[in-house]
Amino acid sequence: LVQVKPAVGDYYKTCDYGDIIEVNAALLQPMKKSNPGAFDYAQYLKSMWGIYGCMYPRSPDQIRKIGENPGWLLKFALELKKKMICVIKKTIPYPQSAFLGGVTLGTRGGVPPQMKFEFQATGVAHVLSVSGLHAGFIAALFFMLCQLLKIPPKPRWFVVSVGLLIFTLITGARPATMRSAIMYSMLLFFNTFGLGLKASTALTIPVSGCLILLFNPLLLPSASFVLSYAAVWSLCYLTGPVQAFFEKYIHSSFFLIFFLWIFLLTAITIVDPALFKNPNFIPFCFLLFVLSVFLGVQLEKLKHFEGLAINRMPPLVHGLVLFFYAQFAIQIGMMFPLSAVYFHRLPIAGVYANFIAIPLIGLIVMIGFLAGLIGAFFSAIGLAPVGTFIALCLNAGNYWLTKAFTGTAHFFFRAFPYPFMPTFHLKWLLIYYFSVFLIILYKPILDFVFAFKEKLKYLSKEEIYLRGSLLVAAILLFVFFYNVKLKKEKTGKLSVVAMALGFGNCDLIKTPLGRSILIDSTLAGKGNFNFQNLAAALSYYHVGRLERMVLTNIKPENSGNCAEVLSYFSPRLFAIPYDVKGFLAAKPYQDFLDFLGDESIKEKWDSAYVRELYRNYEKLMTVNLVAARDFARQQGIKSVFSGNNAVPVKTVSKGDILYFEKVGKEELVIKVLWPPKKFLAGTDDDLANNSVVLKLTYGKFSMLFPSDIKKDAQYEMLKDASDLKSTVLVAAYHGHLDAAYGKWIDAVSPSIVLVPYVYTKGYSFYESDISPVYEHLEKKGVKVYRFDRTGAVEITTSGRKVLIKTTKKAGKVSSGESSFEDSLDVF
């Protein structure tokens, strides 16, 4: 992949498809993922495009055109795409033009980031990536044009298939578009030539999938491929059972009960979604649901409401009813489980927004594509003004449709939450889809049960007892082996994940009993070190709610995403080193600086660094923080209807026990070793030197988290060094020389050191500031993991043996991995 940025030269106007370009630049590896659950740019390029290296020329003299070798079909498609983009830009204003270009031609680059995020949160982001849905609309457009022009069926198949081929090439030949183009062409072929396989989606799904994977098998695990096929598979196999269920059970009084629950749960989702995290609320809802079903049965005995059923709606809305069944099937088969797997979030609004968005996007795509074709056609025959005028007339109406679509996304974005979901365990995913298959195969299963029941009539009692005994024995054997495996798994494993989220601190502790504790939250919005990536890692480790969150200090590299973590992951306790009363009261800028009491900070009051400190503090103050001593959970009936949005805050200092857990004979203890109740003052960095230092002990394993303390604090800690010795040390202050006090490190005496250093422009220090420490530790036989080389480090232990796993294979920085700024998705 060679990416030429606009600052290097305007090659867009001078280069065409098929040109042979000579590039003289460094050959780099694509950026690999640094944290579990993160987007893997290197894997994406490899699976989607077969790309294994990147080049980023920096000046015009590094690039030279040396020849041409165009492929006529793709060249024609891309020339057509250019002309259609010009028509869109001339006939519709920005940002609607960027949106229209994205949904019709696959040009996603110009869509504003906020608009993209609103589409994601609303569950309609699939319209931005040209997919099977769009190809279906284009097929419908060509089909209607053929009917208007009275083209016979056999030539019509050829026209629609060629049109889909051109559309696929124009939009970048993505897996979903290829899948859809192949399937539509096959279905139309069967229909046109009367092969007895009309609308045989069951055949076209595996055939199209095999054809695509034949040319690129690496696509198999990609989100684009899996989601596309999961959606169409759900439509094919689940829509029927869903329809049968609604027609059989959701009628009369049960029709009222069903929609009453839909409206009730929707209202709760909008008004107070935190209720769904309340462990008392879910059982209450279940009991209420059972009661409502019982009342429905009694009501049905008294009066049958004839005509109250979805399938008995007026013929005018019959299409909407079928669309409802299809949406329900997609939610079951694709959206709910795979949103957690691939995106770690659930767009709740999508269930509702798609009822408006999909019909709208159908009109937008067809009108926009038709306008572009007309404009390009008249331009090719020398009548560009005529084509532009016709396209302008069409896109004048399309402008209001795009406004309606973006307005719909904005409305649902504001109305509905967009929560993070813990990623499913593989075994739960298998159980889920096993249940889905039972739904699909319910008729054959029932037939088998009835046939087996009939067969039992002809068996003697002895045969029935024998076969029953064998079945029971098999079940007991399965349960026995499963429990042995389960007991083996529950041996009290502790996991600590030190995340490589840039020049910042962030560590996740997963206790043997499944509790989650987060230490710091790294920088905010710096490259790929933002909250989305942190939350993806938390979701990957199945974190739904935090037991504890610790803010070791309020420096940007520790507190950047703290407010978002507190809001989304609702810790049961938020621990800080500062006096809670003063912390919550120091809201104006000057009061905040006075509260910190660091003279060096006051001297730099107008610097960007101090302003960022305050911005992070301001964001924290938007969270409902309550002093732990004043925090009281609702009791009685109030506890059922309380979302418990408040987060209790507590000051921690030397000697406090942050967390304790007993697993069998082993004890897990997280103890605070620093700061003292009276802070150090007058050091070169009081904020860093009064950071919270934690020590985790589990069996014979111990780990020290010293945050950003420097030599001043380390010198003071040596006065009582009894608790310092640890198996693993997270290097203080990212491994900087200023925090490498030799006697303190000797007192810790670690066998493993983690260095949370990843270069971040504007924050990081020089390589020469950490390499002496790194080299010194290695000479002493200490195993050192630098995050810019290894990515996140996961440590798993049973209290004795220690297993270490890194996200990336350790390699030298000089091996040439691209930076985040370079590794932009240009496709």
Side-chain angles (χ1 to χ4, degrees):
L1 167 66
V2 179
Q3 183 180 337
V4 184
K5 296 187 178 181
V8 177
D10 195 1
Y11 290 92
Y12 183 79
K13 294 179 180 178
T14 57
C15 290
D16 289 312
Y17 170 74
D19 290 351
I20 301 170
I21 310 295
E22 181 183 271
V23 182
N24 182 5
L27 183 63
L28 304 173
Q29 298 177 45
M31 187 178 68
K32 300 178 180 67
K33 72 173 182 179
S34 296
N35 292 278
F39 174 66
D40 194 332
Y41 185 64
Q43 182 62 33
Y44 166 77
L45 290 182
K46 184 172 71 174
S47 62
M48 289 292 288
W49 313 102
I51 290 171
Y52 291 81
C54 298
M55 297 177 83
Y56 302 95
R58 305 298 185 188
S59 62
D61 59 355
Q62 292 178 284
I63 309 161
R64 187 165 66 93
K65 178 178 173 179
I66 60 173
E68 295 181 1
N69 185 24
W72 70 270
L73 183 60
L74 190 52
K75 185 175 177 67
F76 166 75
L78 296 180
E79 284 294 333
L80 179 61
K81 179 177 182 176
K82 276 188 181 181
K83 287 183 170 63
M84 291 175 75
I85 288 172
C86 289
V87 170
I88 288 172
K89 287 183 176 180
K90 286 179 181 178
T91 56
I92 199 165
Y94 181 84
Q96 283 74 28
S97 59
F99 169 71
L100 187 59
V103 298
T104 55
L105 304 173
T107 56
R108 299 182 296 167
V111 180
Q114 180 59 26
M115 185 184 289
K116 280 185 182 178
F117 184 71
E118 288 183 3
F119 286 174
Q120 290 167 5
T122 306
V124 296
H126 54 89
V127 304
L128 279 180
S129 300
V130 174
S131 64
L133 178 70
H134 302 71
F137 292 135
I138 296 302
L141 172 64
F142 279 109
F143 195 82
M144 288 188 289
L145 289 174
C146 288
Q147 283 189 317
L148 285 172
L149 298 172
K150 300 189 183 303
I151 297 174
K154 291 182 181 179
R156 182 190 305 160
W157 169 79
F158 179 77
V159 171
V160 174
S161 297
V162 171
L164 282 171
L165 174 62
I166 298 296
F167 175 73
T168 304
L169 294 175
I170 283 175
T171 55
R174 289 177 172 270
T177 321
M178 289 192 289
R179 186 269 305 160
S180 189
I182 294 169
M183 287 182 66
Y184 285 126
S185 299
M186 287 178 66
L187 288 171
L188 192 57
F189 180 83
F190 295 146
N191 192 18
T192 302
F193 293 92
L195 299 181
L197 293 167
K198 186 184 290 186
S200 182
T201 312
L203 177 66
T204 57
I205 289 174
V207 170
S208 61
C210 288
L211 283 173
I212 292 169
L213 292 175
L214 187 65
F215 291 97
N216 187 1
L218 293 176
L219 282 173
L220 184 58
S222 69
S224 178
F225 184 86
V226 173
L227 293 176
S228 176
Y229 274 91
V232 75
W233 179 84
S234 301
L235 285 172
C236 178
Y237 291 101
L238 280 172
T239 305
V242 166
Q243 182 174 351
F245 172 80
F246 275 91
E247 289 177 357
K248 187 171 183 179
Y249 298 108
I250 310 301
H251 55 80
S252 189
S253 56
F254 293 105
F255 178 88
L256 297 172
I257 290 169
F258 176 80
F259 280 99
L260 176 67
W261 273 99
I262 291 291
F263 293 135
L264 178 64
L265 294 175
T266 301
I268 295 168
T269 301
I270 293 171
V271 175
D272 190 6
L275 270 175
F276 291 109
K277 294 182 180 180
N278 184 344
N280 299 320
F281 181 71
I282 302 301
F284 173 78
C285 278
F286 180 75
L287 289 173
L288 203 60
F289 173 74
V290 172
L291 180 62
S292 65
V293 171
F294 175 75
L295 290 174
V297 172
Q298 301 307 311
L299 186 61
E300 190 67 14
K301 290 177 182 178
L302 294 173
K303 181 175 176 58
H304 181 76
F305 296 93
E306 194 66 37
L308 268 184
I310 292 177
N311 58 306
R312 295 185 183 177
M313 292 290 180
L316 188 66
V317 294
H318 181 66
L320 188 63
V321 170
L322 294 178
F323 184 66
F324 170 80
Y325 293 144
Q327 277 293 299
F328 211 91
I330 287 176
Q331 297 301 320
I332 295 170
M334 186 269 283
M335 185 60 72
F336 174 68
L338 298 183
S339 287
V341 171
Y342 285 106
F343 309 118
H344 315 290
R345 300 185 86 162
L346 181 66
I348 296 171
V351 181
Y352 302 91
N354 277 302
F355 276 93
I356 304 169
I358 290 179
L360 269 179
I361 205 63
L363 293 171
I364 290 168
V365 168
M366 288 192 285
I367 294 170
F369 200 80
L370 183 62
L373 282 178
I374 290 170
F377 172 75
F378 279 98
S379 177
I381 62 174
L383 296 172
V386 177
T388 303
F389 177 74
I390 297 171
L392 179 63
C393 293
L394 288 169
N395 277 340
N398 219 9
Y399 168 77
W400 292 107
L401 291 175
T402 56
K403 288 278 284 185
F405 187 95
T406 53
T408 299
H410 182 70
F411 168 77
F412 281 100
F413 167 71
R414 299 297 298 268
F416 284 82
Y418 185 31
F420 286 92
M421 293 179 68
T423 305
F424 284 110
H425 289 278
L426 179 60
K427 65 179 179 182
W428 286 114
L429 203 60
L430 291 172
I431 291 169
Y432 180 87
Y433 274 106
F434 178 75
S435 305
V436 170
F437 273 103
L438 289 181
I439 294 171
I440 294 168
L441 301 171
Y442 74 99
K443 282 186 177 178
I445 290 170
L446 287 176
D447 291 342
F448 172 78
V449 170
F450 289 134
F452 184 73
K453 190 177 178 182
E454 287 297 317
K455 193 176 179 181
L456 286 176
K457 293 178 181 178
Y458 302 99
L459 295 176
S460 65
K461 287 185 179 180
E462 291 77 11
E463 287 178 307
I464 292 173
Y465 289 145
L466 178 63
R467 295 186 183 194
S469 301
L470 290 172
L471 179 63
V472 170
I475 293 170
L476 290 174
L477 198 63
F478 171 79
V479 170
F480 171 75
F481 282 116
Y482 182 79
N483 281 336
V484 167
K485 183 178 182 298
L486 199 64
K487 285 177 182 177
K488 189 178 177 181
E489 286 178 349
K490 289 188 175 180
T491 51
K493 297 284 186 181
L494 165 74
S495 291
V496 180
V497 187
M499 296 185 198
L501 290 160
F503 188 77
N505 295 317
C506 187
D507 305 295
L508 174 67
I509 300 168
K510 291 284 290 183
T511 75
L513 293 182
R515 308 287 191 269
S516 302
I517 298 163
L518 189 70
I519 304 171
D520 291 326
S521 60
T522 195
L523 288 165
K526 302 295 174 186
N528 67 336
F529 317 130
N530 56 31
F531 175 63
Q532 301 297 323
N533 291 277
L534 172 55
L538 294 177
S539 298
Y540 177 85
Y541 286 105
H542 317 293
V543 177
R545 184 173 190 180
L546 292 166
E547 186 69 24
R548 301 279 188 273
M549 180 175 181
V550 184
L551 178 64
T552 60
N553 65 56
I554 203 168
K555 294 173 75 173
E557 56 263 42
N558 300 322
S559 64
N561 301 294
C562 199
E564 289 86 351
V565 172
L566 292 172
S567 299
Y568 280 97
F569 294 94
S570 311
R572 299 182 193 279
L573 184 69
F574 178 40
I576 61 174
Y578 312 109
D579 173 65
V580 171
K581 186 177 179 181
F583 186 77
L584 297 179
K587 292 178 182 177
Y589 188 64
Q590 190 57 52
D591 290 352
F592 171 70
L593 297 185
D594 291 338
F595 168 74
L596 291 180
D598 189 327
E599 294 302 321
S600 63
I601 294 288
K602 287 185 181 180
E603 289 173 7
K604 298 179 287 188
W605 65 271
D606 60 342
S607 67
Y609 175 79
V610 178
R611 287 198 298 271
E612 187 165 3
L613 270 177
Y614 185 66
R615 275 197 301 272
N616 288 345
Y617 173 75
E618 275 190 312
K619 282 199 297 182
L620 269 173
M621 290 302 102
T622 63
V623 181
N624 186 11
L625 300 175
V626 178
R629 60 178 175 271
D630 301 326
F631 180 79
R633 298 192 183 277
Q634 299 288 350
Q635 300 296 322
I637 193 65
K638 289 183 179 180
S639 67
V640 176
F641 301 104
S642 169
N644 285 329
N645 292 319
V647 177
V649 193
K650 182 181 179 181
T651 304
V652 292
S653 57
K654 183 178 178 180
D656 290 344
I657 301 298
L658 179 74
Y659 183 76
F660 174 84
E661 180 176 295
K662 190 164 185 177
V663 185
K665 295 180 180 179
E666 301 289 2
E667 292 183 348
L668 168 69
V669 181
I670 302 178
K671 186 177 180 181
V672 181
L673 302 188
W674 193 260
K677 284 187 167 46
K678 186 178 180 182
F679 278 8
L680 281 185
T683 69
D684 65 331
D685 191 343
D686 289 353
L687 209 57
N689 280 312
N690 290 298
S691 303
V692 174
V693 177
L694 298 171
K695 182 178 179 181
L696 179 153
T697 306
Y698 181 56
K700 294 182 178 180
F701 173 83
S702 54
M703 187 167 178
L704 194 65
F705 303 87
S707 186
D708 294 318
I709 61 165
K710 297 183 181 180
K711 292 180 180 178
D712 293 301
Q714 292 171 2
Y715 177 79
E716 293 296 323
M717 289 183 74
L718 281 172
K719 294 176 181 177
D720 180 11
S722 56
D723 279 335
L724 284 179
K725 187 173 175 58
S726 302
T727 315
V728 180
L729 169 67
V730 180
Y733 193 41
H734 315 282
H736 194 281
L737 278 166
D738 289 349
Y741 187 42
K743 290 184 179 179
W744 186 81
I745 294 176
D746 289 342
V748 177
S749 189
S751 54
I752 299 164
V753 173
L754 312 182
V755 183
Y757 175 86
V758 177
Y759 178 78
T760 305
K761 190 175 180 180
Y763 284 87
S764 300
F765 30 71
Y766 296 110
E767 174 75 17
S768 58
D769 291 323
I770 64 167
S771 55
V773 181
Y774 183 93
E775 291 164 5
H776 175 70
L777 289 169
E778 283 196 324
K779 283 179 182 176
K780 293 181 69 174
V782 177
K783 184 68 176 174
V784 182
Y785 294 86
R786 266 183 58 168
F787 290 2
D788 54 350
R789 302 179 185 183
T790 64
V793 178
E794 180 180 355
I795 299 171
T796 307
T797 178
S798 58
R800 290 167 179 79
K801 292 183 179 179
V802 177
L803 176 66
I804 296 183
K805 185 169 69 173
T806 61
T807 307
K808 296 195 295 187
K809 288 183 180 178
K812 293 182 179 179
V813 177
S814 59
S815 63
E817 185 174 282
S818 57
S819 69
F820 177 78
E821 286 74 17
D822 285 332
S823 299
L824 297 173
D825 181 7
V826 296
F827 295 103

